[in-house]
Amino acid sequence: MSTYSAGAAFRKAMQEETPLQVVGAINANHALLAKRAGFKAIYLSGGGVAAGSLGLPDLGISNLDDVLTDVRRITDVCDLPLLVDVDTGFGSSAFNVARTVKSMIKFGAAAIHIEDQVGAKRCGHRPGKEIVSKQEMVDRVKAAVDARTDDNFVIMARTDALAVEGLEAAIDRALACVEAGADMIFPEAITELAMYKQFANAVKVPILANITEFGATPLFSVEELAAVDVGLVLYPLSAFRAMNKAAENVYGAIRRDGTQKNVVDTMQTRMELYERINYHDFEQKLDALFAQQKSK
């Protein structure tokens, strides 16, 4: 009997689309919208969990259970393979990293990325980042790989070393992570397109480009990134940023005008929401149950 593997689905998506566009979904509703738009894979950002679910900054405050709650909600309703940001592994030891990996697989994630920042981490596009030694990062990767209960589950190693130690050191770390078993590499805060090509040539595994807005990395197109052998293109918080701005505008308008009439045309309609979450399918099943009870 075959068992479904989210990791295998993620790898299959990469074969079907190169580079694979991976879009951030801040919640289960957005996961369904991403699928409707045609994406083949989605992403849960650690910074998104912190800001969106907890209202806190991305400074290592959120924990494993916070992230797992959002992972489960997304995977319960959306079958797109999910890449999850697990920060530094949610703990100081290999046991913590192992628990994180096993839990992610159990809750339906397809892949994770784990980074080389210290426990009191910062957003990858902020100054003042501190990274652990190369050996400590290698140990994190080894612990993650060893903990896999599904060989297809993807372990991606993220390095923030470019901003701290420079390009050569970052590539050296990436090579060490691949040797330790990392399936893919996520070089954070890249500033020049050619740098991706250098990473790809060196590590010989898929490279992820984090094309986040308002950060250190220019908003390169899929075509530009394909030309330098990038394997995955990540848009971690694009919809979240748009959602937040829209909410601010609506709150401001209602408070200012005493009515929402002036912003109704910016809103998703009731029927659009029902369609996106398959409301009518649920309602029809409920109607059928009521009809059965009445006929008894």
Side-chain angles (χ1 to χ4, degrees):
M1 189 174 84
S2 62
T3 302
Y4 173 77
S5 167
F10 190 81
R11 294 173 189 269
K12 184 173 184 288
M14 288 193 63
Q15 293 173 352
E16 294 175 347
E17 180 177 302
T18 304
L20 177 65
Q21 288 185 301
V22 185
V23 70
I26 193 66
N27 54 38
N29 189 303
H30 280 205
L32 294 173
L33 294 177
K35 181 177 180 179
R36 182 183 178 88
F39 289 97
K40 296 181 181 296
I42 52 177
Y43 175 70
L44 182 62
S45 158
V49 171
S53 295
L54 305 179
L56 293 170
D58 183 21
L59 294 170
I61 303 170
S62 51
N63 61 36
L64 175 59
D65 285 339
D66 295 324
V67 178
L68 285 174
T69 295
D70 286 342
V71 169
R72 177 183 55 78
R73 287 172 174 168
I74 290 170
T75 58
D76 275 353
V77 300
C78 184
D79 60 0
L80 290 181
L82 176 67
L83 168 63
V84 181
D85 176 2
V86 300
D87 291 347
T88 63
F90 300 116
S92 58
S93 76
F95 300 117
N96 296 113
V97 174
R99 178 171 179 253
T100 294
V101 169
K102 291 175 189 285
S103 296
M104 289 293 157
I105 295 172
K106 183 177 180 181
F107 279 61
I112 61 164
H113 67 73
I114 187 168
E115 67 197 55
D116 58 359
Q117 285 199 54
V118 297
K121 61 152 288 175
R122 302 183 184 219
C123 167
H125 292 254
R126 293 291 299 159
K129 294 188 292 186
E130 296 285 344
I131 57 176
V132 298
S133 69
K134 181 171 70 174
Q135 185 57 54
E136 185 169 343
M137 180 54 181
V138 165
D139 289 343
R140 287 177 183 175
V141 172
K142 286 181 178 178
V145 171
D146 290 346
R148 276 194 289 212
T149 55
D150 174 5
D151 290 341
N152 284 309
F153 185 77
V154 174
I155 306 295
M156 183 183 296
R158 168 179 146 176
T159 179
D160 285 74
L162 175 64
V164 181
E165 296 181 344
L167 181 60
E168 288 187 13
I171 291 176
D172 184 54
R173 278 177 175 251
L175 284 166
C177 290
V178 172
E179 186 176 352
D183 301 298
M184 303 176 190
I185 294 294
F186 175 171
E188 179 63 302
I190 294 293
T191 56
E192 299 174 17
L193 196 60
M195 290 178 177
Y196 290 118
K197 181 70 170 177
Q198 290 176 266
F199 268 97
N201 287 345
V203 302
K204 305 291 193 298
V205 299
I207 300 297
L208 178 143
N210 183 18
I211 308 302
T212 186
E213 304 82 14
F214 315 111
T217 304
L219 302 183
F220 299 121
S221 70
V222 168
E223 292 76 16
E224 289 174 315
L225 293 165
V228 291
D229 297 335
V230 164
L232 309 91
V233 186
L234 179 65
Y235 311 88
L237 292 168
S238 304
F240 178 58
R241 298 186 206 282
M243 176 180 75
N244 289 344
K245 194 67 175 179
E248 280 193 312
N249 290 338
V250 168
Y251 291 144
I254 293 172
R255 185 64 173 169
R256 180 185 66 246
D257 303 334
T259 175
Q260 70 271 55
K261 291 179 182 178
N262 295 325
V263 289
V264 167
D265 62 350
T266 70
M267 298 181 189
Q268 182 188 56
T269 68
R270 181 185 299 273
M271 292 309 297
E272 286 171 338
L273 172 62
Y274 286 175
E275 184 181 5
R276 275 43 166 188
I277 61 174
N278 299 314
Y279 173 90
H280 295 293
D281 289 347
F282 286 87
E283 193 173 64
Q284 287 169 10
K285 290 178 182 177
L286 192 61
D287 290 342
L289 286 172
F290 286 150
Q292 286 178 0
Q293 290 174 358
K294 289 178 180 179
S295 66
K296 290 181 179 179

